[in-house]
């Protein structure tokens, strides 16, 4: 059964999230007060509605308790609205409420009113993009927890033609290779310890942030 996701706020972040989730097969209910934004989202989400999500009666119509997840993606222009909406979603029994924060104070308030998870898309993008600027081998990077990252990187030239056994990445750098992306169209493969790496391979690794720099600079 498809995940049912409620997204409130169709700014750049909310709209992108709604589109991506829809493409991945989720049933998305997209909500905003701005009718043109709702009409834009209606082209690709399951359902789109124009309403004020800070109105308790209108929000209750969306039945947040019956959705797998509710994202309050209300943008910079209305911190008060995002706080009210997040609190109402929790009160109405939404099983997983995600709030969007714009600064540390906003994050703390959203956590206090009950958000299960608080994200700051601009801050997270800035961190990931900084990693890509510093290390050109990094294709994408996702924090998993306390200094643990899931990273996709293009292999340095020194790795081409060598196997994972030869490279001994866990022992030398504390890096665990969990998959290899290969070919065009790309395929994600389980890593073979004895197969030589190819020039266009991308490694998907789990490691600390420091280990990524050591890996790409130490070969």
């Amino acid at each position: 059964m498809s995940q049912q996701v409620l997204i409130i706020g169709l700014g750049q972040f909310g709209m992108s999230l709604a589109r991506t989730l829809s493409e991945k097969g989720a049933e998305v209910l997209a909500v905003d007060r701005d009718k043109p934004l709702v009409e834009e989202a209606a082209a690709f989400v399951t359902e789109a509605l124009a309403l004020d999500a800070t109105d308790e009666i209108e929000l209750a119509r969306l039945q947040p308790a019956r959705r797998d997840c509710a994202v309050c993606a209300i943008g910079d222009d209305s911190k008060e609205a995002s706080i009210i909406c997040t609190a109402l979603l929790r009160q109405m029994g939404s099983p997983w409420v995600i709030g969007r924060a714009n600064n540390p104070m906003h994050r703390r308030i959203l956590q206090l009113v009950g958000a299960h998870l608080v994200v700051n898309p601009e801050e997270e993008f800035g961190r990931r993009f900084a990693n890509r600027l510093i290390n050109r081998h990094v294709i994408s990077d996702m924090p998993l927890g306390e200094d643990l990252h899931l990273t996709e990187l293009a292999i340095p030239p020194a790795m081409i033609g060598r196997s994972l056994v030869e490279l001994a990445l866990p022992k030398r750098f504390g890096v665990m290779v969990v998959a290899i992306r290969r070919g065009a169209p790309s395929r994600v493969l389980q890593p073979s310890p004895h197969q030589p790496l190819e020039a266009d391979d991308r490694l998907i690794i789990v490691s600390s942030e420091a280990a990524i720099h050591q890996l790409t600079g130490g070969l």
Side-chain angles (χ1 to χ4, degrees):
M1 183 178 177
S2 299
Q3 285 231 0
Q4 295 187 339
V5 182
L6 169 62
I7 297 178
I8 298 170
L10 295 173
Q12 188 172 6
F13 170 61
M15 190 72 77
S16 175
L17 183 62
R19 184 185 297 275
T20 303
L21 287 171
S22 296
E23 290 171 352
K24 292 181 179 297
E27 295 181 15
V28 176
L29 170 55
V31 175
D32 200 284
R33 288 186 294 189
D34 190 325
K35 288 186 178 179
L37 290 175
V38 171
E39 290 170 358
E40 180 182 344
F44 51 83
V45 299
T46 307
E47 187 178 3
L49 296 172
L51 57 80
D52 180 1
T54 64
D55 184 309
E56 190 169 358
I57 295 174
E58 291 199 345
L59 185 61
R61 288 172 44 205
L62 306 178
Q63 299 180 302
R66 299 182 62 181
R67 315 284 171 180
D68 296 297
C69 173
V71 182
C72 181
I74 296 172
D76 297 346
D77 55 337
S78 186
K79 293 183 179 67
E80 181 181 351
S82 77
I83 294 165
I84 293 170
C85 178
T86 300
L88 287 174
L89 288 169
R90 278 305 311 267
Q91 290 174 20
M92 292 179 184
S94 178
W96 194 26
V97 178
I98 299 171
R100 175 193 176 184
N102 304 310
N103 56 51
M105 176 64 77
H106 191 196
R107 176 187 294 274
R108 288 197 295 272
I109 295 172
L110 291 176
Q111 290 170 334
L112 286 170
V113 299
H116 297 98
L117 176 67
V118 179
V119 298
N120 184 324
E122 291 82 4
E123 182 180 274
E124 291 181 14
F125 176 78
R127 285 194 188 124
R128 294 182 191 181
F129 192 61
N131 284 338
R132 292 190 64 180
L133 286 177
I134 291 169
N135 192 330
R136 302 297 176 89
H137 293 287
V138 172
I139 307 299
S140 63
D141 179 66
M142 181 176 71
L144 296 177
E146 194 72 26
D147 194 31
L148 191 65
H149 291 247
L150 179 67
T151 307
E152 181 174 343
L153 71 158
I155 64 171
M159 286 190 182
I160 299 171
R162 302 173 68 185
S163 71
L164 294 177
V165 168
E166 290 178 68
L167 292 167
L169 302 181
K171 181 179 180 180
R172 296 171 62 193
F173 303 103
V175 168
M176 180 65 67
V177 178
V178 296
I180 295 174
R181 192 184 298 277
R182 175 174 292 165
S186 67
R187 298 169 295 146
V188 177
L189 309 173
Q190 184 175 349
S192 172
H194 300 286
Q195 185 176 12
L197 295 173
E198 300 177 7
D200 294 330
D201 283 350
R202 296 179 180 180
L203 300 184
I204 300 172
I205 65 172
V206 174
S207 71
S208 68
E209 185 174 350
I212 299 169
H213 302 299
Q214 292 169 4
L215 169 64
T216 55
L219 289 168

